[in-house]
Amino acid sequence: MQNGIHFISSSLDPRVKLIVSMSFLLLISTIHDALILFLSFIAVLCAWLLAKLPIKTVSYFFKSIALLFAFMFISSTVFSRIAPKERLTYIEIIPAVIPLIGGSGIYAEILLASITFSFRTLSLVSMALLVSLTTEPSRMVSALRKLRCPYELTIMVIITIRFIPLAIEQWKKLAAVANVRGIETSGIIGRIKSIKRLFTPLIIHSIRRSMQLAYSLDARGFRATKNPTTMENLQLGSRDYLMLVFSVLLIALSIVVLLEVFSIQNISVELMKLVV
Amino acid sequence: MGENGSGKTTLALILAGVLKPKQGDIIIDGKPIGSYKRKQAIRKIGVLFQNPDDNILTTKVSNEILYAPWIQKLDEGEKKRLLNENLALMNLKGYDNKGIFKISYGERERVAIASLLVSQPNILIFDEPTTGQDYKHKQDFIKLAQKLNETHTLITISHDLEFLSAISHRVLLLEKGKITETHINKNMAQNNSRQFPKENMQPSLMEN
């Protein structure tokens, strides 16, 4: 694969991976506590370690994830508002010493809320990335078909995912071409400016490439039969059953959290009150 | 010339200032290429990429050729002059309003060269320009390259010994990013078996 993305043949069944990630999604969307969401993110990181992906791939994706985190965290801390149930704790960042402009600060509760929000999204994104990086597209197609997804739809989804690294590669080529035609593509300002110039050619080349793809799909008899056979027949192994039990546990835990059998939602709030 | 993956295209991109070298500098007209702004650098050196389709940024021949002047905000008269001059030079008269994907492979390559020539660079780098061309178009391209060679410095990446023997004054052999052999030989095609490793040669139907 190009662009440092490698599909490793992982031993888990892709269906199981999908089910586990769905139940994980369910669990973390029921939890509203920053500390527990942070722990769940650590759990996803452990899964990344277990996957033994090449360091280059991991660092590439984590750089982007870190950027996403920084963007979400800052924007939600600075711009979000919550209706105060009680008095909010104000943390002053810029002291109000300048006349007319005054100072600036944030509320501790909003800070906590944005930490919660960011860690939830982070766990979700890194989990989804892990699943897609460790599963070969053809195995994912078989898995989705076993889960009764329509064949055409499955292929469409997989091609869309497969198209992203190709588009990145095309972008790099176009940036080099634009560079020899006098467009600055290095540096932050150059990069931002070049987006405007390169967007149209990227679309043109993508459309051309997708047309070629359509021809090659036709040449291989896509949709010639209603029920095409697959390369391999997926079968669940003992590990898969173990992971299914694990996902049942995750679902059970999220139901427990939803029904508020015991309170785990306020640990961070209590901790914050101790600190501030 | 050199094997696939020996670093020919990378070297070309470094020479053109698209990639930054880890060590050393590329000096053109007494200044490192990195110190020029891109708008100035394209007046010094131009690169034709291997696949003509990858060289394309627009959908119309005239827009494609006038891309660099458009970026440099030249006036309309100057643009028109450059367009007509380069269309004539590349044997593309009457092509200015054609769609770029409607013309043939060889024509697209000539459009790509014209789009470099409008910036009037002194040095041109061609990355495997004869790949995928039939015999007639290759002969045409050799003539074109010879013509360009009179006014420009040509740096060509190629596996095509016929092409290289027709236009090159000096041939460098690249292996794993290092220059391993240098030949100053105009008629290298005749005595290539003695000088060049077999694996770097293009298989020929005429060989036996």
Side-chain angles (χ1 to χ4, degrees):
Chain A
M1 278 280 306
Q2 288 125 342
N3 278 322
I5 299 165
H6 299 269
F7 293 107
I8 55 165
S9 56
S10 129
S11 49
L12 275 183
D13 191 291
R15 281 173 292 176
V16 175
K17 278 187 206 168
L18 280 178
I19 292 169
V20 171
S21 47
M22 287 295 167
S23 40
F24 181 72
L25 190 147
L26 183 70
L27 179 65
I28 59 171
S29 37
T30 53
I31 294 174
H32 305 294
D33 185 85
L35 191 69
I36 296 175
L37 284 171
F38 173 70
L39 290 178
S40 68
F41 177 60
I42 297 290
V44 180
L45 284 191
C46 292
W48 272 83
L49 280 182
L50 286 176
K52 283 182 190 155
L53 287 160
I55 307 251
K56 215 177 152 189
T57 316
V58 176
S59 69
Y60 174 76
F61 281 104
F62 271 85
K63 265 184 214 158
S64 341
I65 291 178
L67 209 71
L68 179 77
F69 179 77
F71 177 71
M72 279 189 323
F73 179 68
I74 293 168
S75 61
S76 57
T77 311
V78 177
F79 299 115
S80 64
R81 291 173 63 181
I82 48 172
K85 285 181 212 151
E86 47 194 291
R87 241 179 85 83
L88 297 175
T89 326
Y90 184 72
I91 304 169
E92 198 173 43
I93 292 175
I94 305 168
V97 287
I98 312 161
L100 293 174
I101 299 168
S104 177
I106 46 171
Y107 291 105
E109 283 77 7
I110 292 181
L111 185 69
L112 194 68
S114 57
I115 291 174
T116 314
F117 167 70
S118 312
F119 271 119
R120 182 181 294 135
T121 321
L122 264 188
S123 319
L124 270 180
V125 170
S126 46
M127 184 77 182
L129 262 181
L130 182 65
V131 169
S132 61
L133 280 177
T134 54
T135 315
E136 283 171 41
S138 64
R139 275 171 70 86
M140 192 56 100
V141 172
S142 320
L144 287 171
R145 286 198 53 213
K146 282 255 177 176
L147 294 171
R148 304 282 163 107
C149 270
Y151 173 54
E152 289 87 352
L153 207 69
T154 318
I155 293 281
M156 260 192 266
V157 171
I158 297 301
I159 286 174
T160 314
I161 295 170
R162 182 67 190 80
F163 229 76
I164 297 166
L166 289 180
I168 295 171
E169 192 197 349
Q170 187 72 49
W171 183 272
K172 283 181 184 163
K173 272 186 192 169
L174 286 171
V177 172
N179 220 315
V180 299
R181 303 280 188 84
I183 292 178
E184 212 76 52
T185 50
S186 57
I188 294 172
I189 296 166
R191 272 190 201 182
I192 293 169
K193 275 189 175 173
S194 68
I195 289 174
K196 189 178 79 182
R197 302 255 192 249
L198 295 183
F199 194 71
T200 325
L202 183 75
I203 297 289
I204 296 168
H205 283 275
S206 300
I207 290 172
R208 273 177 60 81
R209 191 162 243 177
S210 63
M211 274 159 74
Q212 280 170 2
L213 191 69
Y215 292 141
S216 75
L217 275 174
D218 271 345
R220 287 166 196 201
F222 180 61
R223 294 187 74 192
T225 58
K226 278 209 169 147
N227 245 335
T229 51
T230 46
M231 277 281 278
E232 57 179 323
N233 211 0
L234 295 174
Q235 268 182 339
L236 295 180
S238 54
R239 276 183 183 197
D240 298 318
Y241 285 113
L242 205 69
M243 285 311 280
L244 280 179
V245 172
F246 176 63
S247 70
V248 169
L249 283 178
L250 285 181
I251 295 169
L253 191 62
S254 36
I255 292 170
V256 168
V257 173
L258 265 182
L259 296 176
E260 293 181 350
V261 179
F262 56 87
S263 171
I264 58 163
Q265 304 286 26
N266 293 318
I267 298 173
S268 309
V269 178
E270 300 300 327
L271 273 176
M272 192 195 74
K273 276 179 185 164
L274 282 178
V275 175
V276 180
Chain B
M1 60 191 289
E3 277 176 35
N4 290 346
S6 60
K8 304 182 296 293
T9 305
T10 309
L11 179 65
L13 292 177
I14 290 174
L15 286 177
V18 176
L19 294 180
K20 285 197 177 73
K22 275 186 186 161
Q23 292 174 355
D25 252 330
I26 306 295
I27 311 280
I28 296 178
D29 290 348
K31 270 169 77 184
I33 183 85
S35 69
Y36 290 107
K37 284 192 169 165
R38 283 316 303 169
K39 280 177 195 171
Q40 297 166 323
I42 60 167
R43 294 191 169 275
K44 306 282 174 196
I45 190 162
V47 187
L48 175 75
F49 291 91
Q50 187 174 355
N51 184 352
D53 290 3
D54 287 341
N55 288 293
I56 284 159
L57 293 172
T58 61
T59 48
K60 224 171 82 178
V61 171
S62 56
N63 290 351
E64 186 64 28
I65 294 176
L66 292 176
Y67 196 84
W70 174 61
I71 294 295
Q72 291 169 353
K73 299 193 176 91
L74 296 186
D75 60 69
E76 285 303 316
E78 178 70 4
K79 275 196 217 167
K80 198 154 192 181
R81 187 187 66 78
L82 281 171
L83 178 66
N84 289 333
E85 194 182 295
N86 285 291
L87 281 175
L89 186 68
M90 290 293 128
N91 249 344
L92 289 168
K93 266 187 185 164
Y95 275 68
D96 39 354
N97 281 322
K98 284 200 178 175
I100 200 134
F101 293 109
K102 298 261 159 70
I103 60 178
S104 76
Y105 187 93
E107 286 162 348
R108 231 174 288 161
E109 189 158 57
R110 277 183 281 154
V111 170
I113 296 172
S115 68
L116 297 175
L117 290 178
V118 283
S119 312
Q120 294 152 334
N122 302 322
I123 307 167
L124 284 173
I125 301 177
F126 290 166
D127 191 353
E128 300 196 23
T130 53
T131 312
Q133 293 203 6
D134 61 38
Y135 186 74
K136 186 185 167 294
H137 282 109
K138 196 168 103 179
Q139 298 306 319
D140 291 347
F141 190 82
I142 288 173
K143 276 182 202 145
L144 176 69
Q146 280 168 338
K147 199 161 107 188
L148 287 172
N149 211 356
E150 288 164 13
T151 47
H152 297 75
T153 305
L154 275 194
I155 300 171
T156 325
I157 295 167
S158 186
H159 300 291
D160 191 334
L161 288 177
E162 188 191 355
F163 174 65
L164 284 177
S165 72
I167 68 152
S168 62
H169 299 106
R170 187 149 64 133
V171 179
L172 307 176
L173 191 73
L174 218 65
E175 262 175 75
K176 289 178 187 159
K178 294 221 160 56
I179 295 169
T180 51
E181 285 176 53
T182 310
H183 297 270
I184 302 170
N185 187 353
K186 262 204 116 175
N187 302 314
M188 49 177 282
Q190 271 86 43
N191 46 19
N192 54 47
S193 57
R194 188 166 51 81
Q195 293 181 334
F196 283 96
K198 268 243 150 50
E199 60 268 23
N200 282 315
M201 304 222 307
Q202 206 172 39
S204 168
L205 284 174
M206 321 275 261
E207 214 156 51
N208 298 321

